[in-house]
Amino acid sequence: MKTSEFLKGLAVSVWTGTVHLFRHRMTSMYPETQNYPNTEMYAYDPKKGVAVSGWRGRHYLDMSKCTGCQLCFIACENIAEAIEMIPVPEAAHAQNKKSIYPGVDYGRCVFCGFCVDACPFYALYMTPVAEISEMNRNDLYYSPVELSVPPVPNPAPKVHVNFDKKRGSHDER
Amino acid sequence: MSANTESNPEMLAGVFQQEEAPEGRLKVSFGPQHPGSGHMRIILTVNGDIVEDAVPDVGYVHRGVEKMCEYKNYIQNIPHIERPAIHDSSGTIFPYILAVERLLDMTEKVPERAQYIRVIMAELNRMINHFYFFGILGIFMGHTTPITWGMGDRDYLIDVAASATGARVTFSYFVPGGVRTDLPYGFEDKLLKTCDYLESRIPAYKAYLEENPFARMRLTGVGVIKRSDAVALGLAGPTLRGSGVKSDVRKDEPYSLYDTLEFNIPTREEGDAMARMMVHFEEVKESLSIVRQAAKKLRPGPVKVPLRGQIRGKVGEAYARTEGARGMNSYYIISDGQIHPYRVRVNTGDSRNLAAMRPVLIGGKVADVPVAHWSLDYWPVASDR
């Protein structure tokens, strides 16, 4: 390599790094702000056979629609074995004669969403809340009653990436 | 050493303990805990700074994907098949889906919109993989800047893909019959803006990895594979194209409407780490162009042929191959009419690039081992399956 070539290459790379220092940057300050690309619920329309685009996070169970048919349990059987049918005698819904509802173990769930695709009665959804961390491993297990409560979204403002031709990427609230 | 292994020397794991290093040489175990080797070990016999022998010791992350496929049904196979190749989850699942569609006789029925969405997702995954490649290549050379840039820019692509699929890495987005969801509102706008942004970033990467004299010194002439050797070893993907062989499944055997899009196959003649990195560069540019063309051709319409009940493949066999980010991925499925396949054979480009590891490392310096190893595009998890 010639000396002139060496110096030119060095100058170009150092200049590129220096220019980058002054570019506008997009840093998501995570607990204070959140960057969720999709804030919708993942839902499946069994009549059309197509799902509605959304973030695949924690489940939401509509107990007034669940018939206890166990199709979500069968779908999960060989994937993660995370869903278990739990009897909930105090929940008296006419359509669910055996009173069994799915409970999800988030220590096992892989968030593939095929349980939602299996539900023919619009009872199971996936919500954009994916912050499931507990101090105790047993707390990762969510009973049907816990799943039927809509999750409280993180109050932190949602950040979306926006691009500017000159300034590069920056966040937009 | 326990009593059991003492009485049975064959039971000692690996080649490392079995043979003593020759006189004046040193045996070095590169991995499996080394952050760079990535769940594999290379047993190096070094003479001073020169590598005299390099034996890859693989299999640390073997999980039996092929056997697992035999007792899960066709849909349940999707989440676990794409897990080994997390940077290329769409590219890994693509040939499986094509093969299953051939078993179901519905290759022709897949809607046009779904096919273009698949192309977009596969190319997004290719770019996600390549930006990760630049980052790790930079950190293996001792440069910290490329990894921060590579990981940061890769995240914008992940954001775009995640807005449609609902997951960041393992999308589980392709299903037999189409794709799972339609694109959300504003997806195309977001996609094109991200493409414009990444195009503006390419000169910066070029300055840092191609024109930077220190990167050039570390990459040029390292891990040279001649054209004839590349063909003889049966390499795949950017490693093969870096040695001057113009081979790409997207052109050679077009699948999923790739024949309606215009793109080039970048090749380099030199066959060293620099050439392979430049092939990755050119492929990112080509992928950006493919994504733009495919986004232009998207027309409203159905994205899936709904399949009711359990899928049962017809009795027979199906083979499909696609060009993944790290080489040709192919699936060979035998079905006996049950709800689960009888046998699934997975062949990824990664496992074929492993063949070049030994010839490439022998004769090089110890400091060049990480660069040569990473530039081969070998990902142990996808290779071990």
Side-chain angles (χ1 to χ4, degrees):
Chain A
M1 199 185 296
K2 284 182 201 162
T3 318
S4 60
E5 238 179 276
F6 182 91
L7 290 175
K8 194 196 159 203
L10 201 61
V12 168
S13 50
V14 169
W15 175 248
T16 313
T18 316
V19 167
H20 191 78
L21 275 178
F22 300 102
R23 280 176 82 110
H24 196 94
R25 58 199 61 208
M26 155 91 199
T27 306
S28 183
M29 309 305 272
Y30 166 60
E32 287 85 26
T33 60
Q34 272 186 315
N35 179 14
Y36 269 56
N38 197 331
T39 48
E40 303 294 316
M41 283 220 285
Y42 178 81
Y44 185 73
D45 193 343
K47 273 182 192 160
K48 286 183 195 163
V50 179
V52 181
S53 165
W55 192 264
R56 298 203 303 263
R58 210 208 88 181
H59 293 80
Y60 165 63
L61 173 69
D62 194 343
M63 279 175 101
S64 63
K65 284 180 182 163
C66 179
T67 61
C69 67
Q70 306 191 20
L71 280 175
C72 49
F73 165 73
I74 292 165
C76 196
E77 215 172 10
N78 277 332
I79 295 177
E81 316 257 348
I83 294 183
E84 211 176 325
M85 300 307 287
I86 308 290
V88 187
E90 61 270 20
H93 289 292
Q95 86 283 1
N96 198 334
K97 296 231 168 64
K98 289 186 207 160
S99 273
I100 51 169
Y101 298 91
V104 182
D105 182 357
Y106 286 106
R108 288 177 164 192
C109 181
V110 296
F111 299 96
C112 64
F114 283 116
C115 50
V116 179
D117 289 14
C119 182
F121 301 109
Y122 302 89
L124 204 56
Y125 301 87
M126 281 178 120
T127 59
V129 174
E131 290 154 327
I132 311 163
S133 54
E134 305 286 349
M135 294 300 282
N136 188 351
R137 189 176 169 172
N138 292 338
D139 294 343
L140 286 171
Y141 177 77
Y142 277 61
S143 70
V145 180
E146 282 172 297
L147 287 179
S148 65
V149 179
V152 183
N154 193 327
K158 303 278 185 289
V159 173
H160 292 281
V161 186
N162 199 13
F163 293 107
D164 196 312
K165 275 203 174 167
K166 273 189 185 168
R167 295 195 300 155
S169 60
H170 59 92
D171 50 355
E172 175 201 39
R173 281 168 207 185
Chain B
M1 197 182 282
S2 69
N4 195 11
T5 49
E6 226 167 70
S7 55
N8 285 322
E10 293 85 22
M11 285 183 71
L12 287 170
V15 200
F16 189 58
Q17 292 93 337
Q18 282 182 13
E19 288 171 19
E20 286 288 314
E23 188 64 34
R25 311 288 190 270
L26 182 69
K27 270 198 168 182
V28 182
S29 190
F30 182 85
Q33 274 82 31
H34 189 276
S37 70
H39 320 306
M40 75 168 299
R41 175 167 69 163
I42 310 171
I43 298 157
L44 303 171
T45 308
V46 293
N47 179 9
D49 199 22
I50 306 296
V51 177
E52 288 198 340
D53 195 6
V55 182
D57 183 14
V58 298
Y60 285 86
V61 277
H62 173 70
R63 62 176 87 185
V65 164
E66 292 179 6
K67 191 68 191 166
M68 286 206 299
C69 288
E70 291 170 19
Y71 61 85
K72 296 168 189 250
N73 70 33
Y74 287 98
I75 295 290
Q76 285 167 344
N77 275 330
I78 294 171
H80 83 89
I81 278 178
E82 64 179 9
R83 251 139 188 104
I86 51 169
H87 302 301
D88 189 21
S89 57
S90 297
T92 313
I93 203 69
F94 208 160
Y96 171 78
I97 298 294
L98 291 179
V100 172
E101 277 169 1
R102 274 170 205 174
L103 277 178
L104 296 171
D105 282 332
M106 56 182 303
T107 313
E108 307 295 321
K109 292 179 203 158
V110 180
E112 192 190 279
R113 186 176 169 84
Q115 305 231 28
Y116 279 125
I117 293 174
R118 281 179 181 181
V119 168
I120 289 173
M121 283 300 154
E123 294 305 319
L124 282 179
N125 249 153
R126 192 185 309 281
M127 287 192 277
I128 288 170
N129 175 68
H130 285 7
F131 275 105
Y132 185 82
F133 175 90
F134 299 143
I136 301 290
L137 191 71
I139 201 83
F140 277 10
M141 290 191 293
H143 294 220
T144 321
T145 312
I147 194 166
T148 53
W149 286 2
M151 290 294 177
D153 288 336
R154 172 177 165 267
D155 224 72
Y156 298 128
L157 290 164
I158 289 181
D159 267 5
V160 175
S163 70
T165 58
R168 274 174 59 85
V169 175
T170 45
F171 302 136
S172 302
Y173 191 53
F174 298 177
V175 284
V179 291
R180 277 171 84 179
T181 66
D182 204 346
L183 299 174
Y185 174 73
F187 177 84
E188 283 170 50
D189 185 43
K190 200 173 175 176
L191 179 72
L192 295 177
K193 271 186 178 171
T194 311
C195 285
D196 289 344
Y197 171 72
L198 289 174
E199 191 135 52
S200 74
R201 293 284 295 140
I202 283 179
Y205 281 90
K206 223 176 161 72
Y208 236 87
L209 290 171
E210 193 199 354
E211 289 170 36
N212 184 359
F214 296 112
R216 274 168 74 168
M217 285 175 193
R218 293 298 306 276
L219 292 172
T220 315
V222 170
V224 180
I225 308 172
K226 280 187 286 180
R227 186 192 156 100
S228 54
D229 289 347
V231 176
L233 289 166
L235 305 185
T239 314
L240 182 62
R241 294 193 281 276
S243 295
V245 184
K246 204 167 188 177
S247 153
D248 192 316
V249 185
R250 291 176 291 174
K251 279 275 190 210
D252 300 343
E253 195 186 295
Y255 53 91
S256 191
L257 299 182
Y258 265 110
D259 46 350
T260 63
L261 304 165
E262 283 177 19
F263 59 97
N264 301 320
I265 307 170
T267 54
R268 288 262 162 171
E269 296 298 326
E270 297 89 349
D272 57 356
M274 189 72 178
R276 294 196 277 275
M277 193 204 67
M278 290 311 294
V279 167
H280 280 83
F281 256 128
E282 301 297 322
E283 279 191 14
V284 168
K285 286 183 196 165
E286 293 300 325
S287 289
L288 286 171
S289 138
I290 293 172
V291 165
R292 288 204 182 105
Q293 289 176 47
K296 224 175 247 176
K297 294 200 176 194
L298 280 178
R299 298 278 173 274
V303 293
K304 190 180 169 189
V305 182
L307 293 166
R308 307 283 176 196
Q310 284 281 24
I311 301 173
R312 277 170 203 274
K314 64 174 181 191
V315 179
E317 53 191 48
Y319 175 79
R321 58 176 189 161
T322 65
E323 186 70 26
R326 297 190 204 90
M328 187 186 90
N329 294 331
S330 59
Y331 279 76
Y332 177 61
I333 305 179
I334 302 179
S335 160
D336 56 353
Q338 298 291 316
I339 57 170
H340 46 74
Y342 177 76
R343 173 84 170 93
V344 176
R345 170 80 179 117
V346 188
N347 195 353
T348 56
D350 312 66
S351 58
R352 297 168 55 177
N353 289 341
L354 177 65
M357 186 78 72
R358 198 173 183 192
V360 153
L361 295 182
I362 290 176
K365 288 181 180 171
V366 176
D368 288 339
V369 168
V371 173
H373 158 264
W374 185 254
S375 72
L376 282 178
D377 247 339
Y378 167 69
W379 183 250
V381 195
S383 174
D384 288 353
R385 301 187 289 281

